[in-house]
Amino acid sequence: MRVLLTGAAGFLGSHLAERLLSEGHEVIGVDNLSTGQRRNLEPLFRHPGFFFLEADVSRPLAVEGPLDWVLHFASPASPPRYLRLPIETLLVNAEGTRYLLDLALAKGAQFFLASTSEVYGDPLVHPQPETYWGNVNPIGPRSIYDEGKRYAEALTLAYHRTQGVPVRIARIFNCYGPRMDPKDGRVVSNFVVQALKGEALTVYGDGSQTRSFCYVDDLVEGIRRLMEVDYPYPVNLGNPEEYTVLALAQLVKELTGSSSEIVFQPLPEDDPKKRRPDISLAQRLIGWKPLVPVREGLERTIAHFREVVR
Ligand code: NAD
Ligand code: UDP
């Protein structure tokens, strides 16, 4: 197959590109390097089937030749990064999604949207099934991301319903692993880097808020399976193993053997209090559930960060 993948220099995009290349597909990776890392592209360039296009996908993209799949992963994803790039985040999820759906339509390709558990906002239903409509502050600081993704989902289904574009939508819950940007401010990379450098681990609020953490290999497998079934509606992909942020900080300290202290800092506005995916739909539809326990995934992630953090 010939696949166009946006966000290829990012954390998830680079892992997915590698998986598709290893299966023998041709991958055209597109990225503007706004939050991605050039070093994530290095392993991809080792494959003869990889091509890189440095471009902003919030503008129309000219691509020659046929395409079988258009996979849209480009978007700032860590809260500090999207809060710094509010307009860009809205545009890549609105205009970017529109141009890529147009491209999929023109090429007769299947379209994939990397959506997010953030469409549930600060959820009042726990765990969150796909049927839950969410509790999003539409004008709060996080709205640029949450509403951007909600609009992207609506647009994707509108193209499916009115233009017949085959679409897949994954609602991805907090994912972690090697190639996360050590500086992009997400909780796993922050804690691991802080622990390895002997700096204090920064817990926001009292650390009682929860997240559920999925190792990247499990997520890539879920995405890969979702592309193969005929189901256009959103599907949760995540690991239901739920931790309080404070418990995660303690676990990272234990696994790194770090003597760093834990300090408490102010909780960001509208920070969701709890989050855990109900993955029964994914289990039924694609026979998928995560296989890597958080402890093991963190050990692999720590081993990676030992190499990149000096
Ligand atoms: P990331 O920041 O590592 O990767 C995003 C990539 O998109 C970066 O390489 C960035 O340079 C690129 N990009 C951003 N705007 C662009 C634009 N206008 N044009 C071209 N490229 C652009 O983030 P990630 O964790 O790999 O997330 C990838 C996707 O998955 C995002 O859409 C994100 O919303 C979604 N997602 C991720 C998670 C997670 O836990 N990692 C959870 C839910 C959803
Ligand atoms: N968090 C924290 N310390 C950090 C970074 C994040 O306590 O150094 C908290 C954050 O407030 C949130 C959770 O960890 O409650 C997950 O944050 P992240 O930015 O990774 O993802 P989110 O799920 O909020 O998009």
Side-chain angles (χ1 to χ4, degrees):
M1 283 190 301
R2 195 156 185 263
V3 180
L4 185 103
L5 171 64
T6 75
F11 163 49
L12 298 184
S14 65
H15 282 279
L16 183 59
E18 202 162 27
R19 166 74 182 260
L20 294 169
L21 289 163
S22 72
E23 291 175 16
H25 304 301
E26 205 173 289
V27 176
I28 305 165
V30 192
D31 206 296
N32 68 353
L33 298 167
S34 58
T35 65
Q37 305 178 87
R38 210 172 268 280
R39 71 168 164 223
N40 286 346
L41 296 171
E42 282 162 21
L44 308 182
F45 279 120
R46 284 184 218 128
H47 295 264
F50 182 68
F51 303 90
F52 182 62
L53 204 57
E54 188 169 337
D56 179 354
V57 299
S58 299
R59 296 165 188 279
L61 199 66
V63 181
E64 284 178 16
L67 288 175
D68 299 287
W69 287 355
V70 173
L71 312 179
H72 186 23
F73 280 74
S75 169
S78 103
R81 289 270 163 92
Y82 63 65
L83 292 171
R84 224 175 296 140
L85 297 167
I87 310 295
E88 292 84 346
T89 302
L90 280 163
L91 286 179
V92 74
N93 284 297
E95 293 298 89
T97 302
R98 171 185 159 206
Y99 291 130
L100 291 159
L101 279 160
D102 280 335
L103 185 65
L105 178 63
K107 301 282 184 185
Q110 183 167 306
F111 178 82
F112 178 95
L113 175 69
S115 187
T116 172
S117 53
E118 286 286 330
V119 300
Y120 302 120
D122 189 4
L124 304 175
V125 168
H126 194 72
Q128 296 80 54
E130 290 83 351
T131 46
Y132 178 48
W133 291 356
N135 178 37
V136 173
N137 176 351
I139 53 165
R142 294 173 86 102
S143 65
I144 44 142
Y145 185 70
D146 301 9
E147 297 292 8
K149 292 287 185 184
R150 286 166 71 102
Y151 175 89
E153 286 193 4
L155 192 63
T156 300
L157 280 165
Y159 268 70
H160 173 67
R161 291 187 179 115
T162 65
Q163 313 288 316
V165 177
V167 301
R168 307 287 179 267
I169 301 171
R171 288 185 180 154
I172 303 168
F173 285 64
N174 298 62
C175 184
Y176 69 98
R179 299 192 197 152
M180 292 182 90
D181 182 340
K183 296 197 182 73
D184 85 2
R186 281 183 264 194
V187 68
V188 171
S189 43
N190 268 12
F191 285 174
V192 171
V193 170
Q194 288 162 344
L196 291 177
K197 287 186 164 174
E199 295 167 359
L201 275 64
T202 52
V203 168
Y204 302 158
D206 63 6
S208 64
Q209 70 273 33
T210 71
R211 293 295 186 273
S212 304
F213 298 99
C214 185
Y215 189 66
V216 63
D217 290 1
D218 281 329
L219 180 77
V220 167
E221 179 62 28
I223 292 168
R224 196 60 197 80
R225 289 187 189 197
L226 188 53
M227 289 305 288
E228 302 294 341
V229 292
D230 186 12
Y231 187 81
Y233 304 108
V235 178
N236 287 342
L237 292 179
N239 187 337
E241 217 184 316
E242 184 179 2
Y243 283 79
T244 66
V245 166
L246 183 57
L248 179 77
Q250 284 155 346
L251 182 58
V252 169
K253 256 171 68 84
E254 178 199 325
L255 296 176
T256 51
S258 167
S259 54
S260 292
E261 56 172 339
I262 292 176
V263 296
F264 294 88
Q265 294 187 352
L267 188 68
E269 198 178 333
D270 290 343
D271 198 283
K273 285 180 260 324
K274 51 189 172 183
R275 189 187 284 156
R276 170 155 54 103
D278 177 333
I279 58 164
S280 26
L281 177 62
Q283 278 175 310
R284 263 198 327 274
L285 195 66
I286 56 176
W288 176 85
K289 67 173 185 337
L291 300 176
V292 183
V294 168
R295 237 171 205 280
E296 189 184 326
L298 279 179
E299 276 167 359
R300 294 189 207 171
T301 307
I302 290 164
H304 162 82
F305 277 110
R306 280 193 202 283
E307 298 297 314
V308 297
V309 176
R310 297 279 168 223

